[in-house]
Amino acid sequence: MFDSIMKELFLQAQDWESETLMPLKKGKRYELKVTYKATFKACPHCHKSKFHKHGTMPRKVQLTEYLGFPCFLIIAIQRYKCCFCGKVSTPELPESLVSKGTKDSVLLKKEIILKLKSKQSISEAARDLKVSPYSFYRLLNQMPTKDHFSFLPEVLCIDEFKATGDCKGKMAFIAMDGQTHKLVSLLDDRRLEHLVTYFLKFPRQVRLKVKMLVMDMNANYGALIKRCFPNAQLVTDRFHVVQQLTRAFNQLRVQEMKQFDTHSPQYRHLKYYWNYLLKNFDDCSENRFYSRSLRQWTSSHDLVLQLKAYTPVLDEAWEVLQAALTAFRKHDDQKFFEIIDELKEELLPETFVKKFQFLASKKASIRLALHTPYSNGCVEGMNNKIKALKRVAFGFRRFSNFKKRIILMN
Ligand SMILES: [Zn+2]
């Protein structure tokens, strides 16, 4: 086994000697005893080169687990005494095997980092590798935490997510590069004042390079643009526009549904087949299937026509939704806002109209969303990863550790 480690780490075979080929079991661990006998070319003190052997220095290095138990390399490092100045020197172990002053081998550290990148809790991962969780925390603590203030991307996607208990704000803040999808910054407070202070740390020239700020439309970061990114334009995330439309429609559908008796077929149909109404009508197929709830043969196409005709309000709202979604899909912003401007307020409920008109108030940023390829998809994806990490790791007590793991995952 030691042969393979030597090969993998490019260790010099002539410097090593091992009593046994395989590690031996000692209680609940394996141990492999080796001697390290690298010599000095010259004495580090007087630079002459004649030595006597002078005992050994023990060193324990943890390898990756072996047959389900922790495995250690017990190294006896040969020490040398200079024949001229009499000082004793001990050779350093190669950095490719273990770094100075640490107990975990480089191989083990690599595995720990792999584990830190995975969605697994530290205690569980530590059990897998047969190491103490402290080995994990030690590595996390060695990671640099300082933010760099020398670069900002042209397209900055920002969002917020629920963070750890020790955060100052309730929500944490995440910013990513909209083109390379790299993590730009992760802050434990999304409040505006905090963000402004943070971004003002970037030199003005760097901040001027930001051309677009992509965010969901409820986020209120307009002031951030004014104060930190004078060259940037706001882009509303496309997905959130569609979500706003479908939510408005769904709310209306529930209202209309409640006009019917809960045992009526109309109520049941609107309750169970609502997602057909949200589909792109052009994609609804005419293939017929037997619906037990309807007690008749139907197709997605016919089903939509039947459902929307249940009330005049539903009919009108569905027409508006379909037209708006189609315009949006075709990136036709002119048509899209025309539809919103021409809503029949006397027919449609106020909440529905308001939700659509809210979009009109974001005209400039939605227009940009339709004419640029950028969306917040990367941040949403990252947020999902973060959620998964939090779920398996049973929450993080410290934001700094959480942040480091997210950086590793990215
Ligand atoms: Zn000497």
Side-chain angles (χ1 to χ4, degrees), residues 164-391:
T164 52
D166 70 336
C167 282
K168 281 166 233 136
K170 269 186 187 158
M171 301 287 263
F173 175 86
I174 181 170
M176 287 176 90
D177 185 330
Q179 286 160 316
T180 63
H181 299 179
K182 275 191 183 142
L183 196 64
V184 175
S185 37
L186 206 60
L187 305 175
D188 62 351
D189 194 341
R190 63 101 199 259
R191 281 172 298 182
L192 191 66
E193 274 317 301
H194 185 83
L195 294 180
V196 170
T197 323
Y198 171 80
F199 281 113
L200 285 182
K201 284 184 196 162
F202 289 87
R204 190 176 156 79
Q205 277 145 312
V206 174
R207 284 185 280 121
L208 286 178
K209 283 191 186 133
V210 179
K211 296 270 153 43
M212 284 176 204
L213 221 59
V214 188
M215 61 181 84
D216 71 47
M217 71 193 131
N218 298 315
N220 200 4
Y221 293 126
L224 188 65
I225 288 207
K226 259 187 217 150
R227 289 173 66 181
C228 301
F229 307 110
N231 273 350
Q233 284 176 298
L234 204 72
V235 182
T236 297
D237 182 43
R238 269 165 300 184
F239 172 76
H240 284 92
V241 176
V242 174
Q243 199 180 40
Q244 173 87 357
L245 295 173
T246 52
R247 271 195 191 151
F249 179 79
N250 254 338
Q251 202 179 20
L252 175 134
R253 191 243 335 154
V254 172
Q255 271 172 19
E256 291 301 298
M257 188 177 85
K258 282 181 179 160
Q259 291 175 12
F260 295 101
D261 182 74
T262 45
H263 297 291
S264 67
Q266 285 94 337
Y267 184 93
R268 265 197 349 246
H269 300 161
L270 286 175
K271 191 170 165 77
Y272 294 113
Y273 293 110
W274 59 271
N275 51 348
Y276 284 88
L277 291 170
L278 300 183
K279 270 190 193 171
N280 181 1
F281 189 57
D282 296 333
D283 293 344
C284 286
S285 89
E286 300 205 37
N287 291 340
R288 302 184 78 72
F289 61 90
Y290 186 77
S291 158
R292 291 181 63 180
S293 176
L294 265 64
R295 295 198 187 85
Q296 69 187 52
W297 284 85
T298 186
S299 65
S300 337
H301 185 267
D302 294 353
L303 189 59
V304 169
L305 294 180
Q306 180 184 343
L307 290 178
K308 81 180 179 83
Y310 282 165
T311 74
V313 176
L314 197 64
D315 189 61
E316 174 65 22
W318 182 84
E319 296 286 351
V320 171
L321 175 77
Q322 288 293 329
L325 286 177
T326 306
F328 198 75
R329 253 192 308 267
K330 289 183 179 161
H331 301 262
D332 185 347
D333 52 302
Q334 206 173 342
K335 178 90 183 150
F336 182 74
F337 291 112
E338 254 170 42
I339 293 164
I340 294 175
D341 288 341
E342 288 164 9
L343 283 179
K344 287 179 185 151
E345 288 175 60
E346 65 287 351
L347 189 61
L348 293 164
E350 201 188 338
T351 48
F352 182 83
V353 175
K354 274 210 172 133
K355 280 211 163 120
F356 270 62
Q357 282 171 347
F358 175 71
L359 293 174
S361 70
K362 307 268 173 190
K363 211 174 240 177
S365 63
I366 291 175
R367 207 165 255 165
L368 266 179
L370 288 175
H371 296 298
T372 55
Y374 311 117
S375 78
N376 250 3
C378 58
V379 187
E380 305 284 334
M382 197 64 206
N383 273 351
N384 286 338
K385 276 192 205 164
I386 290 171
K387 264 186 215 155
L389 179 65
K390 270 167 75 180
R391 207 165 34 238

Side-chain angles (χ1 to χ4, degrees), residues 9-31:
L9 299 180
F10 307 107
L11 301 181
Q12 300 288 354
Q14 73 268 18
D15 290 347
W16 297 86
E17 200 172 79
S18 111
E19 291 168 24
T20 51
L21 277 175
M22 285 305 183
L24 300 175
K25 196 166 177 205
K26 267 204 169 174
K28 286 192 170 178
R29 54 157 73 177
Y30 278 92
E31 288 184 352

Side-chain angles (χ1 to χ4, degrees), residues 49-82:
S49 49
K50 203 173 176 201
F51 302 96
H52 288 307
K53 283 186 179 171
H54 190 80
T56 56
M57 165 100 106
R59 179 91 184 263
K60 197 160 84 176
V61 172
Q62 186 162 7
L63 299 173
T64 52
E65 59 101 25
Y66 182 69
L67 302 177
F69 290 96
C71 181
F72 293 88
L73 203 56
I74 309 290
I75 308 171
I77 305 175
Q78 181 66 58
R79 306 173 82 204
Y80 298 95
K81 189 174 184 177
C82 176

